[in-house]
Amino acid sequence: MARGVNKVILIGNLGKDPEVRYFPSGDAVANATIATTETWKDKQSGEQKEATEWHNVVFPGKLGEIAGKYLKKGSKVYVEGSLRTRSYDKDGQKRYVTEIRVQDMQMLDGKPGGGSASMGEERGSYSAPSPSRSSAPARSAAPAPAADAPFEDDDIPF
Amino acid sequence: MARGVNKVILIGNLGKDPEVRYFPSGDAVANATIATTETWKDKQSGEQKEATEWHNVVFPGKLGEIAGKYLKKGSKVYVEGSLRTRSYDKDGQKRYVTEIRVQDMQMLDGKPGGGSASMGEERGSYSAPSPSRSSAPARSAAPAPAADAPFEDDDIPF
Amino acid sequence: MARGVNKVILIGNLGKDPEVRYFPSGDAVANATIATTETWKDKQSGEQKEATEWHNVVFPGKLGEIAGKYLKKGSKVYVEGSLRTRSYDKDGQKRYVTEIRVQDMQMLDGKPGGGSASMGEERGSYSAPSPSRSSAPARSAAPAPAADAPFEDDDIPF
Amino acid sequence: MARGVNKVILIGNLGKDPEVRYFPSGDAVANATIATTETWKDKQSGEQKEATEWHNVVFPGKLGEIAGKYLKKGSKVYVEGSLRTRSYDKDGQKRYVTEIRVQDMQMLDGKPGGGSASMGEERGSYSAPSPSRSSAPARSAAPAPAADAPFEDDDIPF
DNA sequence: TTTT
DNA sequence: TTTT
């Protein structure tokens, strides 16, 4: 259940291959960045301008496995998810990072997986179990603490 | 024009009264925070849990004026907008904050404005000009540098 | 799984009390209509105009029970769902009706249920199981044939 | 302005080339159909099932011109718009058809326009003027009556 | 810091 | 760091 709505919809390209990690439980989680670009004409100079926004996305569980298998740098994807701002500690100071926890994903490339991958049953799109129904908090989709973890999550109450 | 989609939809309550500031041009901008709450039942203990997410929202231009006039702490609102991560400098270090630039807003309280405000033409809902059509970048919706600004924006290329 | 995205988001008011019916299996389904209104200023005459759109919404399963219990004529709701156009027969002719199958619902009234209803665990909001994961087609959310059914569904391949 | 929210988001493929028509004013409008497909596993038989939903979409104005130029049968697109149910008369009987009036569009094919079309400034994506701000009703986006019009719109109060 |  |  939710009080309120917290929904994000993105279509963009991956900035790098997804990084897949695993929880001790065996559950996967993949991290990636997605670029969306706005272009506009400057009212003063009349020149074409553009700005690219980079989004941190987290694919929990089975979605993480699929992302790791079929998405790569440059892949065009649709993702639907929710915003979550996590705090972590850096040099004794609290920092924040805002991520999109993905709940639904669609691959939009003409030839996903390089074009020759066979179309498995779970390929191409996948929806996470509805967070509202899950007995486990969607919150647990956060990256597992790992040696190469970008953030020290130890003191975050996942 | 945009390459990609960058869309956020929120329904939640304001954590405090919006703060309205003005650009030298006279354009308004309002900042607020919106809370959305997820609840779930812990699979281990079976107890009810909940987590609240706080979103930084920016109402540019006319939307900022309306937000300043009609929204207040506790107001329930629908907002639609796009994600933007801004960087700012703190103690010589680069920090980031992710905001939702609002493009559409709906007041969801039964009696907005306390119940006695007359229903002006611009009240209750408002859509920003489509960013894609605007000759000015939606980017200029960022908070104007001000004495009490939470972030030092001076070196950010708005 | 889905190939493509089929998503509808509405905020509006119910035109009448939801009609709850039951499948032989015991599963509930509720039907309702939701109004959304657009207003604009006529470019010629300068007068304020408005047009109301009526949406047929279908609340399957547990959502149907909740809708039947807590929503009534005039209730303000947020619904998220997907479009489905059903065909039915009238006087030997094929007719079509487009409905929104609700997957997520939020009550937006200040005092839902009239203000005195006790806050049950399932009240206020509910998400349907993710259709993509369900072993049963979301398609089965269609209204059960009934004596007072508005449409003769018998020859529709649900 | 709007009271309520009426939003549709689709990703799918065009069932046929868009049909472009023109109002006496010179404004264009394009009609197309978009397919979205759901697949699921039948709980009884265990077999894979699928159902395709067809959506009637209307691209008003400049979007209609772009759709006519760059979209064709099979094109994959993202559209965002709003629902509108129109009535028309057939054999003296009132019929209804539900359409999606497109306000934002993104072409998702790897090589739009066949791959050799030069990238004009207005290509690839386009947002309609925000309906809420427009002095002209978005309503006027309805297909112009024409000799080959699928519906007799003459008695519909556009 | 909101809300139910 | 992506993409057009």
Side-chain angles (χ1 to χ4, degrees):
Chain A
M1 184 180 123
R3 292 203 295 282
V5 170
N6 175 359
K7 183 169 290 294
V8 179
I9 287 171
L10 301 177
I11 295 179
N13 299 281
L14 264 68
K16 54 183 171 75
D17 291 353
E19 292 171 19
V20 187
R21 289 181 285 175
Y22 292 88
F23 286 95
S25 66
D27 290 343
V29 62
N31 287 269
T33 53
I34 293 180
T36 57
T37 301
E38 289 283 328
T39 66
W40 70 94
K41 197 171 282 187
D42 186 83
K43 64 179 164 186
Q44 315 283 19
S45 64
E47 15 173 18
Q48 195 70 12
K49 302 228 173 186
E50 82 171 45
T52 294
E53 197 64 31
W54 285 99
H55 309 273
N56 300 306
V57 296
V58 179
F59 298 87
K62 199 154 178 40
L63 269 175
E65 295 172 30
I66 296 169
K69 238 183 273 187
Y70 298 106
L71 297 181
K72 55 178 188 297
K73 182 176 173 175
S75 293
K76 175 166 283 187
V77 283
Y78 164 92
V79 299
E80 184 184 335
S82 54
L83 286 169
R84 181 182 171 213
T85 298
R86 295 192 306 119
S87 68
Y88 62 99
D89 190 88
K90 187 184 179 184
D91 306 331
Q93 295 208 296
K94 216 171 186 179
R95 299 290 185 97
Y96 298 89
V97 60
T98 299
E99 299 169 328
I100 291 99
R101 277 181 294 145
V102 179
Q103 280 135 26
D104 195 4
M105 189 256 281
Q106 296 268 333
M107 299 170 54
L108 299 175
D109 290 310
K111 297 180 173 234
S116 63
S118 71
M119 186 68 176
E121 187 182 322
E122 80 298 83
R123 238 291 303 310
S125 102
Y126 178 82
S127 291
S130 173
S132 312
R133 304 296 309 294
S134 178
S135 58
R139 197 146 271 266
S140 65
D148 59 348
F151 311 121
E152 306 298 328
D153 291 344
D154 303 73
D155 50 358
I156 307 177
F158 290 126
Chain B
M1 185 179 121
R3 291 203 296 280
V5 170
N6 176 358
K7 184 169 289 294
V8 179
I9 287 171
L10 302 177
I11 295 179
N13 300 281
L14 265 66
K16 55 184 170 74
D17 290 355
E19 292 171 17
V20 187
R21 288 180 286 173
Y22 292 88
F23 287 95
S25 66
D27 290 343
V29 62
N31 285 269
T33 53
I34 294 180
T36 57
T37 301
E38 290 282 328
T39 67
W40 69 94
K41 196 171 283 186
D42 186 83
K43 62 179 164 185
Q44 314 284 18
S45 64
E47 19 174 15
Q48 195 70 13
K49 301 231 173 183
E50 83 171 45
T52 294
E53 197 63 32
W54 286 99
H55 309 273
N56 300 306
V57 295
V58 178
F59 299 88
K62 199 156 178 40
L63 269 175
E65 296 172 29
I66 296 169
K69 239 184 271 187
Y70 299 106
L71 297 181
K72 55 179 189 296
K73 182 177 172 175
S75 295
K76 175 166 284 190
V77 283
Y78 164 92
V79 299
E80 184 185 334
S82 53
L83 286 169
R84 182 182 170 211
T85 298
R86 295 193 304 120
S87 68
Y88 62 98
D89 190 88
K90 188 183 177 185
D91 305 331
Q93 294 209 295
K94 216 170 185 180
R95 299 289 185 98
Y96 298 89
V97 60
T98 298
E99 301 169 326
I100 291 99
R101 278 182 292 147
V102 180
Q103 280 134 25
D104 196 4
M105 191 257 280
Q106 296 269 333
M107 300 169 54
L108 299 175
D109 291 309
K111 298 182 174 231
S116 64
S118 71
M119 187 66 177
E121 186 183 322
E122 81 297 85
R123 237 290 302 312
S125 102
Y126 177 82
S127 290
S130 174
S132 311
R133 304 297 309 297
S134 178
S135 58
R139 197 146 271 266
S140 64
D148 59 348
F151 310 121
E152 306 299 328
D153 291 345
D154 302 74
D155 51 357
I156 307 178
F158 289 126
Chain C
M1 188 180 120
R3 292 203 298 278
V5 170
N6 175 357
K7 184 168 292 292
V8 179
I9 287 171
L10 301 177
I11 295 179
N13 300 282
L14 264 68
K16 56 183 170 73
D17 291 354
E19 292 171 17
V20 187
R21 289 179 286 173
Y22 292 89
F23 286 94
S25 65
D27 291 343
V29 61
N31 286 269
T33 53
I34 293 181
T36 57
T37 302
E38 290 282 328
T39 67
W40 70 93
K41 195 170 284 185
D42 187 83
K43 62 177 164 185
Q44 314 282 20
S45 64
E47 18 173 16
Q48 196 69 15
K49 302 231 175 181
E50 82 171 46
T52 294
E53 197 65 29
W54 286 98
H55 308 273
N56 299 307
V57 295
V58 178
F59 298 87
K62 200 156 178 39
L63 269 174
E65 295 172 31
I66 295 168
K69 239 185 272 190
Y70 299 107
L71 297 181
K72 55 178 190 298
K73 182 178 174 175
S75 294
K76 176 167 283 190
V77 283
Y78 163 92
V79 300
E80 183 184 335
S82 54
L83 287 169
R84 182 182 170 214
T85 298
R86 296 193 303 119
S87 69
Y88 61 99
D89 191 89
K90 189 183 178 185
D91 305 330
Q93 295 208 296
K94 215 170 187 179
R95 299 289 185 100
Y96 297 89
V97 61
T98 298
E99 300 170 326
I100 290 100
R101 280 181 292 146
V102 179
Q103 281 134 25
D104 196 4
M105 189 257 280
Q106 298 267 332
M107 298 170 54
L108 299 174
D109 290 310
K111 300 183 173 230
S116 62
S118 72
M119 187 66 176
E121 187 183 322
E122 82 296 84
R123 237 289 305 309
S125 103
Y126 178 82
S127 291
S130 172
S132 311
R133 305 295 311 295
S134 177
S135 58
R139 198 146 270 265
S140 65
D148 59 348
F151 311 120
E152 305 298 330
D153 291 344
D154 302 74
D155 50 358
I156 307 178
F158 290 126
Chain D
M1 185 180 121
R3 292 203 297 279
V5 170
N6 174 359
K7 183 169 292 293
V8 179
I9 286 171
L10 301 177
I11 294 179
N13 300 283
L14 264 67
K16 55 183 169 80
D17 292 353
E19 292 172 17
V20 187
R21 288 180 285 174
Y22 292 89
F23 287 95
S25 66
D27 290 343
V29 62
N31 287 270
T33 53
I34 293 180
T36 58
T37 302
E38 291 282 327
T39 66
W40 70 95
K41 197 170 281 186
D42 187 82
K43 63 179 164 186
Q44 314 283 20
S45 64
E47 18 173 17
Q48 196 69 14
K49 302 231 175 184
E50 81 171 46
T52 294
E53 197 66 29
W54 286 97
H55 310 272
N56 300 307
V57 296
V58 179
F59 298 88
K62 199 154 179 41
L63 270 174
E65 296 172 30
I66 295 169
K69 241 184 271 188
Y70 298 106
L71 298 181
K72 55 179 188 297
K73 182 176 173 176
S75 294
K76 175 165 283 189
V77 284
Y78 164 93
V79 299
E80 183 185 335
S82 54
L83 286 168
R84 181 180 171 215
T85 298
R86 296 193 304 120
S87 68
Y88 61 100
D89 190 88
K90 187 184 178 184
D91 305 330
Q93 294 209 297
K94 216 171 187 179
R95 298 290 185 97
Y96 298 89
V97 61
T98 297
E99 300 169 328
I100 290 99
R101 277 182 292 147
V102 179
Q103 281 133 26
D104 195 4
M105 189 257 281
Q106 297 266 332
M107 298 169 55
L108 300 174
D109 290 309
K111 301 185 172 226
S116 63
S118 71
M119 186 66 175
E121 187 182 321
E122 80 297 84
R123 236 291 302 310
S125 103
Y126 178 83
S127 290
S130 172
S132 312
R133 304 296 309 296
S134 178
S135 58
R139 196 147 272 265
S140 64
D148 59 348
F151 310 121
E152 306 298 329
D153 290 345
D154 302 74
D155 51 356
I156 306 177
F158 291 125

